[in-house]
Amino acid sequence: MATADEVREIANGLPRTVQRLVRDRVKFNVGRIVYAALSRDELTLGCGFPKEERDAVIAAEPRKFSMPSDLSAVDTEELRELVTDAWRMCAPKTVVRDYDARRASP
């Protein structure tokens, strides 16, 4: 089961991420673009996701994915993938390449 603390740890470890509090909700931005946001009670997470894939993902796993996703249904590795993929959609391509190169190096 994923937690809000894990969301913070993952998101804040991504380059150029800024954590902000907006109307009592924690949001993670790259520049002005929000790529992930916790609900006020920190039990659900909204992540950026390609529009053309949303309906299929939600239909395939409705307990896990909705608008937004329920953290209790997501494990830590899947959470890392969801947050990182959302970050990739809004981070500059050069920053993403540098991040991938660092992770690939031993």
Side-chain angles (χ1 to χ4, degrees):
M1 181 171 113
T3 66
D5 287 338
E6 290 173 316
V7 173
R8 286 183 181 86
E9 180 183 336
I10 294 165
N12 287 319
L14 296 169
R16 298 201 184 176
T17 291
V18 175
Q19 179 179 317
R20 300 174 41 224
L21 189 62
V22 179
R23 296 187 187 124
D24 297 326
R25 293 184 65 200
V26 175
K27 296 188 178 199
F28 301 94
N29 297 45
V30 172
R32 301 181 109 185
I33 302 171
V34 175
Y35 69 88
L38 289 164
S39 60
R40 284 185 178 92
D41 63 7
E42 298 192 347
L43 296 177
T44 58
L45 173 68
C47 281
F49 204 80
K51 290 180 183 178
E52 61 276 2
E53 296 177 29
R54 284 182 193 157
D55 291 342
V57 170
I58 292 169
E61 297 185 75
R63 163 73 176 105
K64 189 182 297 180
F65 299 109
S66 62
M67 299 289 202
S69 64
D70 182 350
L71 281 176
S72 67
V74 180
D75 67 33
T76 301
E77 279 308 307
E78 190 170 26
L79 176 67
R80 182 173 307 283
E81 184 178 327
L82 289 168
V83 172
T84 303
D85 287 350
W87 169 81
R88 287 175 189 284
M89 289 192 315
C90 62
K93 291 181 187 343
T94 55
V95 174
V96 173
R97 277 196 301 270
D98 290 346
Y99 173 79
D100 289 340
R102 280 196 316 270
R103 291 190 41 95
S105 300

